């Protein structure tokens, strides 16, 4: 991990809050970018004893500690998380996915997770999955529930979803003017919510022409002058919305409908020159979660970038391994921030994508070879085998129904 440490970014000499915070963040991060040849033997021994370096002084991903932190989160959350009560499906998804990319068998958690998820379905309040029991259905928590079911990956999990009711829920929240989708009754309409609908519909075999009508045109209209995507037309480009737009277009095989050179330029310039991780918007600070939200885009567009994977993968992985790991387990935004389950999920997802790319580029693992994670799908952010499994399951069901109809006609 002895990569060159870049000099601080130049400024015009007129400090602002933005430039001051950027300089402080660069200093915090580069303090971790030590040349191990200059570190004394006692300190090296301490880092090896802590599991942070292996016998060959290569940086290690703390698999077991991260797994312990994540598994505890499935069983118990501290009182400080009470404000997250409406995000139960998110915690289940974040933790299950982080565990699956770490190579953990998540099947043993299936029964408990299914018991919670099936009680989040909101028939009495209009359909969809809510954030908890007797909470209104919302596209974002529906997305989290459905991804968690896909990760569990059993027919019992898949069949929790009433697909006709889910399709009806989606269609009732389609905005006729834009073709996009609404988060809930009287909720916001944007590209993020539209991604939740399109991704889940394509996994669960309900991606109908009525559902996709106008979606590509809406997403294309959200591309900004910078090249990324905003939540709505004429709004600022942002990492999460850029992922959402690019993932929708990838799922619908429509990436050629937008300005790909501009998108490539945008994502390349969101990787920070000094830190190596990604920022979410122009002139914002690096944040570990954008390791996925922005780090997924090079994988999504890889077939359109003439064989160039538009990311400095070594610098990206250095940021994650040195700046985002907490020695007690769990991953974080940046040095000075606390670990949490959200960042643990998306930092590990970003590390997986940086290692595996689009599945066609050569695997590149920085640090110890033991750092290698399971691959994650850049458009769905679950393991690719789980994507194939669920799509095959519902494709087979549809084929079976077609055969039954033909037999009845005969």
């Amino acid at each position: 991990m002895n990569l060159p440490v870049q000099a601080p970014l130049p400024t015009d000499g007129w400090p602002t809050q933005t430039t001051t915070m950027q300089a402080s963040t660069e200093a915090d991060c580069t303090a971790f970018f030590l040349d191990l040849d200059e570190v004394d033997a006692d300190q090296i021994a301490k880092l090896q004893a802590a599991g942070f370096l292996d016998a060959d002084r290569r940086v290690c991903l703390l698999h077991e500690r991260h797994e312990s932190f994540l598994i505890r989160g499935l069983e118990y959350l501290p009182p400080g998380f009470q404000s997250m009560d409406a995000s139960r499906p998110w915690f289940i998804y974040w933790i299950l996915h982080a565990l699956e990319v770490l190579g953990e068998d998540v099947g043993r958690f299936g029964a408990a997770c299914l018991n919670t998820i099936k009680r989040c379905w909101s028939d009495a309040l209009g359909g969809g999955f809510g954030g908890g029991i007797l909470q209104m259905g919302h596209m974002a928590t529906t997305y989290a529930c459905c991804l968690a079911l896909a990760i569990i990956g059993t027919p019992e999990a898949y069949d929790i979803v009433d697909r006709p009711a889910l399709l009806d829920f989606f269609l009732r929240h389609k905005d006729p003017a834009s073709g996009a989708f609404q988060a809930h009754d009287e909720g916001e309409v944007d590209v993020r919510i539209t991604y939740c609908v399109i991704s889940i519909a394509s996994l669960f075999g309900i991606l109908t022409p009525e559902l996709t009508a106008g979606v590509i045109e809406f997403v294309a209209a959200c591309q900004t002058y910078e090249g990324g995507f905003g939540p709505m037309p004429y709004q600022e480009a942002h990492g999460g919305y850029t992922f959402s737009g690019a993932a929708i277009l990838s799922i619908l095989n429509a990436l050629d409908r937008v300005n790909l050179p501009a998108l490539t330029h945008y994502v390349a310039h969101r990787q920070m020159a000094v830190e190596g991780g990604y920022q979410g918007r122009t002139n914002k600070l690096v944040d570990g979660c954008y390791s996925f939200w922005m780090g997924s885009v090079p994988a999504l567009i890889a077939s359109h970038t003439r064989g160039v994977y538009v990311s400095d993968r070594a610098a990206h992985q250095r940021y994650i391994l040195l700046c985002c790991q907490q020695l007690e387990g769990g991953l974080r935004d940046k040095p000075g921030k606390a670990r949490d389950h959200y960042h643990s999920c998306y930092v590990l997802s970003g590390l997986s994508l940086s290692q595996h790319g689009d599945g066609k580029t050569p695997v590149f693992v920085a640090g110890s070879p033991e750092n290698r994670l399971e691959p994650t799908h850049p458009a769905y952010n679950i393991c690719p085998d789980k994507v194939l499994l669920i799509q095959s399951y519902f494709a087979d069901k549809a084929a079976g129904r077609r055969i039954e109809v033909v037999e009845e006609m005969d």
Side-chain angles (χ1 to χ4, degrees):
M1 299 298 288
N2 286 341
L3 299 175
V5 178
Q6 302 295 327
L9 294 181
T11 69
D12 58 7
W14 291 89
T16 65
Q17 183 179 20
T18 297
T19 60
T20 300
M21 292 175 68
Q22 177 60 32
S24 175
T25 301
E26 289 174 7
D28 289 344
C29 291
T30 54
F32 287 82
F33 300 160
L34 299 174
D35 183 344
L36 295 178
D37 294 333
E38 298 177 2
V39 178
D40 64 64
D42 288 344
Q43 189 64 30
I44 292 289
K46 288 179 181 178
L47 290 170
Q48 289 173 325
F52 199 67
L53 295 179
D54 66 12
D56 295 318
R57 306 201 307 177
R58 294 172 297 196
V59 179
C60 298
L61 182 68
L62 304 169
H63 278 79
E64 292 183 3
R65 295 183 195 178
H66 299 325
E67 287 174 3
S68 295
F69 169 70
L70 292 160
I71 291 169
R72 284 199 306 274
L74 278 179
E75 298 168 346
Y76 169 77
L77 289 173
F81 285 85
Q82 287 178 352
S83 63
M84 303 290 286
D85 181 63
S87 297
R88 293 185 196 185
W90 280 113
F91 279 97
I92 294 173
Y93 163 64
W94 293 333
I95 293 170
L96 289 183
H97 178 57
L99 288 171
E100 72 167 346
V101 296
L102 285 167
E104 178 74 24
D105 178 10
V106 300
R108 61 192 173 108
F109 309 112
C113 292
L114 294 183
N115 184 51
T116 297
I117 291 170
K118 66 185 177 184
R119 291 188 293 161
C120 291
W121 180 260
S122 184
D123 262 338
L125 295 171
F129 287 97
I133 301 166
L134 296 179
Q135 293 184 16
M136 180 175 66
H138 191 290
M139 294 301 175
T141 47
T142 296
Y143 167 81
C145 283
C146 290
L147 284 188
L149 296 173
I151 291 169
I152 294 168
T154 63
E156 180 189 4
Y158 302 153
D159 291 340
I160 281 176
V161 177
D162 181 339
R163 294 193 302 151
L166 182 62
L167 178 58
D168 179 67
F169 176 68
F170 287 162
L171 290 173
R172 282 190 289 107
H173 291 85
K174 187 172 179 66
D175 177 43
S178 65
F181 291 87
Q182 187 180 39
H184 53 82
D185 291 342
E186 301 184 14
E188 70 272 27
V189 175
D190 62 35
V191 75
R192 172 185 63 113
I193 297 302
T194 303
Y195 163 72
C196 291
V197 171
I198 296 301
S199 61
I200 294 306
S202 67
L203 288 174
F204 281 78
I206 54 173
L207 192 65
T208 65
E210 189 179 6
L211 205 65
T212 59
V215 167
I216 294 171
E217 292 77 9
F218 170 74
V219 173
C222 291
Q223 189 172 27
T224 77
Y225 71 95
E226 288 188 279
F229 294 90
M232 291 285 287
Y234 312 113
Q235 296 188 13
E236 183 184 12
H238 180 282
Y241 298 119
T242 297
F243 160 76
S244 298
I248 290 169
L249 297 173
S250 175
I251 291 167
L252 299 181
N253 296 312
L255 278 164
D256 59 350
R257 298 283 294 275
V258 296
N259 187 334
L260 279 171
L263 176 59
T264 303
H265 181 275
Y266 179 78
V267 69
H269 284 78
R270 300 288 70 74
Q271 186 169 17
M272 306 300 282
V274 176
E275 305 93 302
Y278 284 88
Q279 63 183 180
R281 287 183 287 162
T282 303
N283 288 333
K284 296 296 182 181
L285 300 177
V286 68
D287 185 333
C289 70
Y290 292 109
S291 291
F292 174 76
W293 298 123
M294 291 305 311
S296 62
V297 180
L300 291 169
I301 64 175
S303 60
H304 298 269
T305 51
R306 300 180 183 178
V308 177
Y309 196 80
V310 189
S311 177
D312 185 335
R313 298 163 79 185
H316 187 195
Q317 292 182 46
R318 177 178 69 174
Y319 175 73
I320 291 172
L321 293 169
L322 297 181
C323 297
C324 294
Q325 293 197 89
Q326 196 153 315
L327 283 176
E328 299 83 0
L331 295 105
R332 61 192 181 188
D333 162 354
K334 62 174 71 67
K337 300 290 187 178
R339 63 184 177 175
D340 60 62
H341 302 90
Y342 165 84
H343 281 91
S344 294
C345 172
Y346 291 111
V347 172
L348 288 171
S349 300
L351 179 59
S352 172
L353 280 170
S354 187
Q355 292 175 354
H356 295 276
D358 64 341
K360 299 175 184 176
T361 53
V363 174
F364 170 70
V365 178
S368 168
E370 300 302 314
N371 294 343
R372 180 168 175 163
L373 297 173
E374 296 298 315
T376 192
H377 194 291
Y380 296 104
N381 204 24
I382 61 176
C383 287
D385 61 327
K386 299 295 179 65
V387 175
L388 291 174
L389 193 64
I390 189 170
Q391 290 181 331
S392 298
Y393 178 79
F394 289 116
D396 289 346
K397 273 199 164 187
R401 283 197 298 272
R402 285 194 294 270
I403 291 170
E404 289 175 3
V405 169
V406 170
E407 289 175 346
E408 288 174 2
M409 292 175 65
D410 290 342

